[in-house]
Amino acid sequence: METLILKVNRDQPRGLEPAARILQSGGLVAFPTETVYGLGAIFNNETALLNIFAVKGRPADNPLIVHIYGLDQLSRIAGSISPSAEKLIDRFWPGPLTLIFPKKPEVSSRVTAGLDSVAVRMPSDPAARELLRLTGIPVAAPSANLSGKPSPTLGEHVINDLFGKIECIIDGGACPAGVESTVLSLTGTVPVILRPGTVTREDLEQVLGQPILEAGEGEVERPQAPGMKYRHYAPAAPVFLYEGEPEKIIREINRSLKEKTSGTKAVVLGTTENLSKYHNEWVLDLGPRDDPGVIAARIYQLLRFCDQFGADLILIEGIPEGGVGTAVINRLRKAAGGNVIHVS
Ligand code: TXA
Ligand code: MG
């Protein structure tokens, strides 16, 4: 397939009409958002929706997020909007917060993977907004990576994964947040963060004025984001994540480096302040320990770089949870699969 590549200036997006026409006629378009790149199809075209799953190699039981331009589109999709949802929409939309609503019958079960709820988000990125405006129809979009790969945060990541497989790629450079949106379920008695992102638990609690839970916490029965069960966000090489006190992490990583078989191309991902403490040829800068927003913006780019570089082994310095740190550590744990080492 011929893939049309449209370069776009994120702040002054122009020339996206061909991409909108492709979407309207049932084609797939990858586009930048403030979080990561999305792989879009109009939400009401069954063939196009099927193609999203086929192209990504995505399991059919993993539902998609519907991206909207305006609130008038939300009323086509969501069966009801609770007062809590209204507060959050007021404060965080457009922006990197996905909310789960009861779905309207019009929403295909291909989008929701058979669930009676639907995930919706209104992105703030100007290029994404321009595309949604021109298209005039809500756009279902997962992240624009091949299933299992780190989400794309640069146009070239999408080109590497999807060139020749979809009709159009909009290349707008780097995505500022760098990790996928926060997914919040409001369907139970207590709001639950199904996937942490740059809209933090603290942000949400402040607006709602009530405590909320992270998936996996507490006793309450709650729905999970079906996608979170898959090994995600992973580069090809095995990843080992070290969590705990920084000094102990450094000691432990240096010990592992010493023990590795000679010829193993090991890459360390460490925080800025600790870079010089690792005894290794290749040490990459995650960003400052106390600025997880910077780490979030870089993390997928670094993981993909490790693949390109041909790393055999990736050792990562974990950072504390809390704020955006929770989203970072969540993605790093996924990348590591079971390989999480708690040092104490
Ligand atoms: O930032 C983002 O959210 C990006 C950009 C492109 O908008 N999109 C994205 O989509 O990350 P995806 O498909 O990679 O992740 C969607 C997540 C999955 O974990 C999925 O299981 C969950 O949202 N999800 C979708 N619909 C759901 C529903 N009805 N109930 C619970 N979780 C749902
Ligand atoms: Mg994804």
Side-chain angles (χ1 to χ4, degrees), residues 43 49 62-68 73-81 85 89 93 97-121 138-141 183-187 194 223-224 226:
F43 87 121
L49 293 169
N62 192 1
L64 308 176
I65 297 173
V66 180
H67 296 66
I68 59 171
Q73 291 182 330
L74 180 62
S75 55
R76 276 179 77 181
I77 298 165
S80 65
I81 300 160
I89 288 169
W93 281 12
L97 174 66
T98 296
L99 297 171
I100 311 289
F101 297 94
K103 83 170 189 80
K104 280 225 163 129
E106 192 191 339
V107 181
S108 161
S109 66
R110 293 249 181 264
V111 170
T112 64
L115 297 174
D116 50 15
S117 61
V118 59
V120 185
R121 115 174 172 84
V139 170
V183 178
L184 184 73
S185 166
L186 295 162
T187 52
L194 301 179
Q224 300 285 317

Side-chain angles (χ1 to χ4, degrees), residues 56 58 143 145 151 180 195 232-233:
K56 277 185 60 104
R58 183 180 179 98
S143 48
N145 51 293
S151 290
E180 305 85 344
R195 180 175 71 186
H232 249 146
Y233 319 123

Side-chain angles (χ1 to χ4, degrees), residues 40-203:
I42 47 172
F43 87 121
N44 54 359
N45 181 312
E46 290 293 303
T47 312
L49 293 169
L50 269 175
N51 284 341
I52 286 184
F53 288 88
V55 160
K56 277 185 60 104
R58 183 180 179 98
D61 66 351
N62 192 1
L64 308 176
I65 297 173
V66 180
H67 296 66
I68 59 171
Y69 177 70
L71 287 179
D72 52 318
Q73 291 182 330
L74 180 62
S75 55
R76 276 179 77 181
I77 298 165
S80 65
I81 300 160
S82 67
S84 295
E86 268 169 13
K87 278 192 211 166
L88 295 170
I89 288 169
D90 249 23
R91 171 67 183 79
F92 296 111
W93 281 12
L97 174 66
T98 296
L99 297 171
I100 311 289
F101 297 94
K103 83 170 189 80
K104 280 225 163 129
E106 192 191 339
V107 181
S108 161
S109 66
R110 293 249 181 264
V111 170
T112 64
L115 297 174
D116 50 15
S117 61
V118 59
V120 185
R121 115 174 172 84
M122 186 191 285
S124 59
D125 183 86
R129 284 187 64 69
E130 175 66 358
L131 179 67
L132 290 167
R133 186 184 71 78
L134 291 168
T135 305
I137 305 167
V139 170
S143 48
N145 51 293
L146 293 176
S147 214
K149 289 250 177 205
S151 290
T153 54
L154 289 175
E156 66 189 70
H157 295 160
V158 184
I159 292 169
N160 287 340
D161 279 15
L162 300 180
F163 187 80
K165 298 185 175 138
I166 61 176
E167 284 81 358
C168 176
I169 296 172
I170 300 174
D171 182 352
C175 299
V179 292
E180 305 85 344
S181 62
T182 305
V183 178
L184 184 73
S185 166
L186 295 162
T187 52
T189 43
V190 186
V192 181
I193 296 178
L194 301 179
R195 180 175 71 186
T198 54
V199 174
T200 65
R201 175 190 202 154
E202 295 82 353
D203 296 334

